[in-house]
Amino acid sequence: MIVRELITKLGFSVDDSGMRKAEAGVDRIKKQAEYAAQALMGVGASLAGAAWAKSAIAIADSMQNVRSRIGMLPQTIGDVGEAFDEVGRRASATGMAIEAYAGLYTRVGNAAKDYISTQEDLLGITDTIAKALVVGGASAQEASAVMQQFAQALASGVLQGDEFRSMAEAAPQYLDQLALAMGKPREQLKKMASDGQLTAREVIEATRKMSGYFDTKFSRMPMTVSRATTAVSNRYSMMIDRMNRESMFISELAGLIVSAFDKIEWGVNKLAEALGGWDQILKLIGIGLASVFGA
């Protein structure tokens, strides 16, 4: 509905000059409302960009911490970035989150630094445990939790009751193979774990003997959605890390996002001041929308 028709229906008598002034006034309000709406859309876009940047920065920070821990391992010789990339590839191949896989990898590496001297040997042991969890039917999320608990146990020097039970539930075949490798029945292993007598060294040395068994079993496992989405998430995290370490892209992006938001915020604040505050802006937007949708 146009202004002229509205005034006529309301029963007001206005000459052509007054009518033109009224229409011009409404047009100005509509333009101001549209300007304010565009400014608010700009704020929304900026916030969306800032949210992505915040997420990317968090990933970059997390990957940088993982890379740093890998770099400090005695088994890491040569380029730390390449060592990190290999850990990421192995994590994705087994369907484990990088953080969980790397947590086990670094803790085993530190706990076994006296008898595991190479990255390849360390990767093999970590792979075997990860594959055992997949073969046991654990989801990526469940496996990550068990790997973290198992890693903490190995780092402490002994595999105790709770950690033993978690591994037995998530990867029963691993406990079967552990018993075979150590030449002890499972019940005896369970008692040893309860008594704090199952050492990390015994477990790690026994795990070395299982690689062939779990490589074969793992190769027969179908790809699941859980493992696939975890692998994609890993690759995205690795991409962010490569961008960050090679070009400092994330840091620069964060600065650009903040700078862009500063400009938008300044413009919106100036608009609010010119129009008499946010209450007035919202009223103008309401009037403008009413005139647009009522036309």
Side-chain angles (χ1 to χ4, degrees):
M1 182 180 295
I2 62 174
V3 175
R4 186 181 299 271
E5 291 175 341
L6 177 61
I7 290 175
T8 301
K9 284 193 174 184
L10 290 174
F12 294 107
S13 178
V14 182
D15 59 21
D16 286 344
S17 175
M19 191 71 72
R20 284 193 296 272
K21 288 180 181 178
E23 289 177 336
V26 170
D27 285 340
R28 283 196 301 273
I29 291 173
K30 285 174 64 176
K31 288 179 180 178
Q32 289 173 331
E34 289 169 0
Y35 181 38
Q38 288 173 357
L40 289 173
M41 288 175 64
V43 171
S46 179
L47 289 174
W52 182 87
K54 182 178 179 181
S55 172
I57 290 168
I59 291 171
D61 285 345
S62 177
M63 293 302 101
Q64 184 168 285
N65 287 334
V66 170
R67 186 159 30 89
S68 177
R69 292 198 301 274
I70 290 172
M72 289 187 287
L73 287 173
Q75 295 87 355
T76 300
I77 299 173
D79 187 84
V80 176
E82 290 180 4
F84 167 82
D85 288 342
E86 182 61 23
V87 168
R89 283 191 289 270
R90 295 292 188 103
S92 295
T94 56
M96 300 294 160
I98 290 177
E99 293 88 346
Y101 186 98
L104 179 60
Y105 174 86
T106 54
R107 281 178 167 155
V108 170
N110 284 315
K113 59 186 177 183
D114 294 334
Y115 50 97
I116 296 180
S117 59
T118 68
Q119 182 186 25
E120 193 60 32
D121 193 11
L122 182 53
L123 285 167
I125 291 167
T126 311
D127 271 355
T128 297
I129 295 170
K131 289 176 181 179
L133 287 163
V134 174
V135 171
S139 67
Q141 186 175 3
E142 291 169 339
S144 292
V146 173
M147 285 181 87
Q148 183 177 5
Q149 196 172 14
F150 195 64
Q152 290 170 345
L154 295 180
S156 72
V158 291
L159 180 60
Q160 295 185 337
D162 289 341
E163 293 82 2
F164 185 93
R165 282 191 292 274
S166 295
M167 200 66 182
E169 292 172 2
Q173 296 92 335
Y174 177 81
L175 269 297
D176 289 338
Q177 292 301 307
L178 184 64
L180 286 173
M182 294 181 65
K184 302 178 187 296
R186 279 189 61 164
E187 284 304 312
Q188 186 176 346
L189 287 185
K190 183 176 179 181
K191 186 176 186 312
M192 289 174 67
S194 298
D195 295 339
Q197 297 176 347
L198 192 56
T199 68
R201 181 161 190 160
E202 288 177 308
V203 172
I204 291 170
E205 292 287 7
T207 301
R208 271 200 177 101
K209 303 174 184 177
M210 309 176 198
S211 60
Y213 175 87
F214 283 110
D215 284 347
T216 301
K217 292 289 185 182
F218 181 81
S219 67
R220 298 173 184 168
M221 296 295 294
M223 175 60 75
T224 64
V225 173
S226 175
R227 284 169 53 203
T229 53
T230 299
V232 170
S233 177
N234 285 348
R235 291 172 64 181
Y236 176 70
S237 296
M238 291 171 69
M239 179 187 72
I240 294 292
D241 181 74
R242 282 194 296 272
M243 286 192 298
N244 187 43
R245 75 186 192 229
E246 292 176 10
S247 66
M248 298 303 292
F249 172 77
I250 298 302
S251 297
E252 292 180 7
L253 177 62
L256 289 173
I257 291 292
V258 172
S259 177
F261 184 79
D262 285 343
K263 292 177 182 177
I264 291 172
E265 185 179 29
W266 180 86
V268 172
N269 287 337
K270 286 296 183 183
L271 175 64
E273 290 175 10
L275 296 179
W278 281 101
D279 287 344
Q280 185 63 21
I281 287 178
L282 294 175
K283 289 177 183 177
L284 292 173
I285 291 174
I287 293 171
L289 291 176
S291 63
V292 171
F293 290 107

